[in-house]
Amino acid sequence: MSISLLHLSDIHPAAYDNLSRLAQDISSAVKRSNSSPTHVVASGDLGLKGANQKESARFLIAVASNLGLEPSQVICVPGNHDVEKDNPTKPFQSYSKAILAITGDSSRTIVKPVDVYRHRGVEFVLINSAYHLNTTFGRVDCDALRDVVKSLSSTTTKVVVVHHNLIPVSDEDRSTIANAYEVLTIVSSAGCDVVLHGHQHASLSLTVGSSTKLVGVGTVNFPPGTNVNHQFNIVDIGKRVLRFRFHADSSTSEGFGNWDPEELPW
């Protein structure tokens, strides 16, 4: 079975955002590209400053439904904007409620530093790089990561999902995963196929170790600007990365512009 991941990140909805049009436009662009995602992956920041994750939940439910996918095929991890600073005893409470709304599965609402979710021959290593609750940079519990990768099968597709980027995207970027070298050593040594991340709204595609692909993605819900990559990906494991970037086009009937794909070889 070929694995194709619709990778989104950094939704950052404002309160009462209506993202139904965005969900429809993204789904339509995916269908026009003749892609058939097996999973939707959201790599963090479902919220904005610790709130509004319910709007992202509605958005992800709509995207999955439009593509004929079930709740079990939606994969998420939290990001720094999912930390509720005013709720120190339950810092990911709103995020967990959003996951319950998306999946209907209470077992998936438990936020661990590192977890694994298995679905139809794919093992998703889910990393909470905001587990330390410092929203200025990322960190991974590498002891927990080692324990999880020990449980992985040698015969499955292995996908790592984390919010923070592991490589700085600019000279000023100090928000990366602080222990990124250790993280990449662990997951590449374990034979993980791909690491998906968001956070800095920057597209990225490179190989780490012998065969682990590192793929970053932009944001889908900020207006395109000088420092914002308005973008999502289709990641066909072992085949290609299809980047969709939004280009404003006043000639469209609704004036919303187009999501244009660019294919990159694996």
Side-chain angles (χ1 to χ4, degrees), residues 18-26 253-256:
N18 184 346
L19 303 180
S20 58
R21 177 58 190 257
L22 179 62
Q24 183 59 57
D25 286 351
I26 288 174
S253 60
E254 299 294 334
F256 283 94

Side-chain angles (χ1 to χ4, degrees), residues 183-199:
V183 173
L184 289 173
T185 299
I186 294 169
V187 299
S188 60
S189 297
C192 294
D193 295 274
V194 65
V195 179
L196 304 180
H197 72 80
H199 184 55

Side-chain angles (χ1 to χ4, degrees), residues 42 137 258:
F137 68 95
N258 294 312

Side-chain angles (χ1 to χ4, degrees), residues 114-193:
V114 185
D115 204 355
V116 61
Y117 176 67
R118 295 176 171 88
H119 185 267
R120 298 182 185 176
V122 186
E123 293 182 301
F124 292 93
V125 178
L126 309 179
I127 298 177
N128 177 8
S129 54
Y131 83 100
H132 58 311
L133 307 183
N134 186 324
T135 58
T136 63
F137 68 95
R139 180 177 291 279
V140 173
D141 184 338
C142 284
D143 288 336
L145 179 59
R146 288 187 186 91
D147 287 342
V148 165
V149 299
K150 287 177 183 176
S151 73
L152 301 179
S153 169
S154 61
T155 61
T156 59
T157 298
K158 291 173 277 293
V159 178
V160 179
V161 187
V162 64
H163 175 63
H164 290 83
N165 49 306
L166 295 99
I167 297 174
V169 299
S170 69
D171 290 345
E172 296 78 25
D173 184 7
R174 299 292 182 270
S175 66
T176 59
I177 292 175
N179 52 346
Y181 176 77
E182 187 175 9
V183 173
L184 289 173
T185 299
I186 294 169
V187 299
S188 60
S189 297
C192 294
D193 295 274

Side-chain angles (χ1 to χ4, degrees), residues 77-88:
V77 296
N80 54 295
H81 274 278
D82 296 310
V83 177
E84 297 176 54
K85 294 182 178 180
D86 58 351
N87 190 2

